[in-house]
Amino acid sequence: LTRWNYEPIEQTVLDEYQRYEQKYNELPLGLGVDYPLGCYRNTPLRYGDIEQDGELELVLIVGNDLIVFSPERQKTVFQTNLSLNTWMSAERTVQYFDFHTIASHQVPPQYQQYIDPDNKFPTRALRGYAKLYQGDFDQDGNSDLLVWRKLYRSNWTGEQAGFSLTSDTYYHYERDLDAQAESESGVTGEYLPQETTEEDIKSWLSENNLIWSKGYPSLSECAGEGGKLIPEMHDPLLNDPDVLQ
């Protein structure tokens, strides 16, 4: 398995990896497994009919990457990173700056970036999450997947505790087999990205009362947390009203 060509990911993330001379789309699957993310990866293989069309799919949780694989098509038909972890814990950040001396005029972030292990400069870490919503939102008879991604950066030491929201991004994918059959490439069976405005996607979510907590994944599967929201995705330290609803 390699990264899917149409994976929804922020340009900020791509630029951040490029800054350290890494290409995000060439990174191995399963990165960022330091945090449990509801213990979903404890049951890494799931099987079912996502859009109730009679075609079964395999859903794999590889680290924090969710992959939808079609046995019938013999290919990945959708993929997204559920949790982007480029941040050290607060404890590790303190230890990091105990080891790496910085200039007197520099202020360390509350959570240091770890993409580049040779980076000895204060760098505010990125932290991001994705939620998925399935349905026929544009009412054209085809299955849609909406992806709502949130991206945060660590605050500096001395600022409000935690992170600050950098961006909300919205993506619309559709599985239109008839249109794919008529295309030059033929049927792929994949959920393909659509040129849908952010306003339309937000309107679909609002009309269906699909707030952040109702997106997949939502409820923790960790022992003792059954029925509770995944803590990392609804963390007060994100300083974001959406995640507290």
Side-chain angles (χ1 to χ4, degrees):
L1 291 173
T2 57
R3 291 201 171 275
W4 189 50
N5 289 335
Y6 306 109
E7 178 182 354
I9 194 71
E10 297 90 344
Q11 186 62 46
T12 301
V13 175
L14 300 178
D15 293 343
E16 194 78 1
Y17 277 93
Q18 185 65 39
R19 175 183 171 192
Y20 297 108
E21 299 182 352
Q22 299 182 44
K23 293 183 179 180
Y24 177 84
N25 62 358
E26 294 179 358
L27 297 174
L29 294 168
L31 291 178
V33 294
D34 293 341
Y35 303 91
L37 195 66
C39 299
Y40 275 63
R41 62 175 178 267
N42 292 354
T43 311
L45 181 62
R46 298 151 195 256
Y47 188 50
D49 185 354
I50 293 176
E51 62 278 340
Q52 287 110 34
D53 65 349
E55 190 172 314
L56 298 174
E57 291 88 20
L58 289 169
V59 177
L60 299 93
I61 308 292
V62 182
N64 289 329
D65 290 309
L66 179 145
I67 303 160
V68 181
F69 184 86
S70 169
E72 181 172 330
R73 310 282 175 180
Q74 290 292 296
K75 65 171 64 178
T76 295
V77 295
F78 180 79
Q79 178 192 317
T80 189
N81 167 274
L82 294 176
S83 174
L84 182 77
N85 294 331
T86 74
W87 53 292
M88 301 179 184
S89 67
E91 294 75 16
R92 283 184 62 192
T93 298
V94 170
Q95 294 169 0
Y96 184 84
F97 287 109
D98 284 342
F99 183 77
H100 297 293
T101 303
I102 59 176
S104 58
H105 68 277
Q106 293 180 314
V107 177
Q110 296 175 31
Y111 300 87
Q112 169 71 0
Q113 185 89 279
Y114 78 72
I115 289 178
D116 180 4
D118 296 323
N119 178 26
K120 301 177 179 59
F121 300 98
T123 306
R124 295 191 302 155
L126 286 175
R127 177 178 177 180
Y129 299 102
K131 293 274 194 167
L132 308 179
Y133 307 82
Q134 191 274 330
D136 182 8
F137 296 101
D138 53 6
Q139 300 181 348
D140 65 352
N142 299 305
S143 180
D144 300 305
L145 282 178
L146 305 182
V147 183
W148 181 1
R149 293 188 59 86
K150 284 180 169 290
L151 190 64
Y152 306 84
R153 275 201 187 275
S154 167
N155 292 331
W156 295 107
T157 297
E159 296 180 338
Q160 182 180 24
F163 296 77
S164 293
L165 181 68
T166 297
S167 64
D168 286 292
T169 50
Y170 303 86
Y171 305 82
H172 173 210
Y173 290 80
E174 186 171 84
R175 192 167 185 245
D176 185 342
L177 298 179
D178 290 336
Q180 291 179 17
E182 296 173 1
S183 68
E184 292 183 6
S185 58
V187 175
T188 69
E190 297 172 79
Y191 283 87
L192 297 179
Q194 305 297 301
E195 294 183 1
T196 307
T197 66
E198 176 180 313
E199 289 72 22
D200 282 342
I201 297 174
K202 291 170 69 174
S203 176
W204 293 337
L205 292 172
S206 177
E207 289 168 2
N208 292 278
N209 193 29
L210 294 174
I211 58 178
W212 180 255
S213 62
K214 293 185 178 181
Y216 181 88
S218 178
L219 300 180
S220 175
E221 296 182 351
C222 295
E225 294 182 358
K228 298 180 180 179
L229 295 173
I230 296 172
E232 300 97 310
M233 288 181 148
H234 302 86
D235 189 347
L237 283 175
L238 297 175
N239 297 300
D240 181 356
D242 285 336
V243 307
L244 300 179
Q245 294 184 35

